[in-house]
Amino acid sequence: MFLREMPEPLLTQELYEPMKTIHGLEKIEKIKRARQLIGRLPSMNLELLKYVLRILTKVIANEETNKMSALNLSIVFGPNLIWSSTDSASLTTLNYINAFTFLLLTQPD
């Protein structure tokens, strides 16, 4: 709830459109572009993102017990990390957000 109640998303409005453009790229290029985008975050946002990802990585490590895979967590947390102030939450948009969040969860470096 904390992430969703922030006045601006953790991944910022500025990254929303660029985040959508990496969707169709090859995996290596996606990782490269995602790192570039994350590098544009304000320092406080970056630190909070790292903290959230560390926690979620621990949840993923216990997937056998809690049934929360990286995919499941990306579906739950993605819309709380980044959203648009102008676009409605369509299924296509949610796919972009969830795929980007999945990438962050599976490529944490």
Side-chain angles (χ1 to χ4, degrees):
M1 189 97 139
F2 166 76
L3 294 171
R4 191 62 183 177
E5 291 180 350
M6 293 174 67
E8 182 170 0
L10 181 61
L11 295 178
T12 72
Q13 294 291 333
E14 178 186 319
L15 298 187
Y16 181 76
E17 288 300 324
M19 174 272 308
K20 292 183 351 183
T21 66
I22 72 169
H23 186 69
L25 301 175
E26 295 293 325
K27 185 174 181 178
I28 299 296
E29 187 63 24
K30 278 184 188 181
I31 294 167
K32 179 182 168 187
R33 294 278 297 280
R35 287 183 178 148
Q36 290 171 344
L37 291 176
I38 296 304
R40 292 170 40 188
L41 287 172
S43 61
M44 291 178 65
N45 292 51
L46 181 58
E47 289 306 312
L48 181 54
L49 178 63
K50 287 178 182 179
Y51 183 75
V52 168
L53 292 176
R54 276 194 305 267
I55 292 170
L56 295 179
T57 300
K58 290 179 182 179
V59 173
I60 293 167
N62 291 297
E63 177 184 353
E64 290 296 319
T65 305
N66 61 32
K67 307 298 184 214
M68 292 304 289
S69 65
L71 180 59
N72 291 342
L73 288 171
S74 67
I75 291 167
V76 172
F77 280 89
N80 295 295
L81 295 176
I82 190 166
W83 63 85
S84 171
S85 61
T86 57
D87 283 351
S88 61
S90 69
L91 288 178
T92 302
T93 301
L94 288 174
N95 283 339
Y96 295 145
I97 291 169
N98 295 343
F100 188 76
T101 305
F102 181 81
L103 185 64
L104 296 180
L105 290 170
T106 56
Q107 303 293 326
D109 296 332

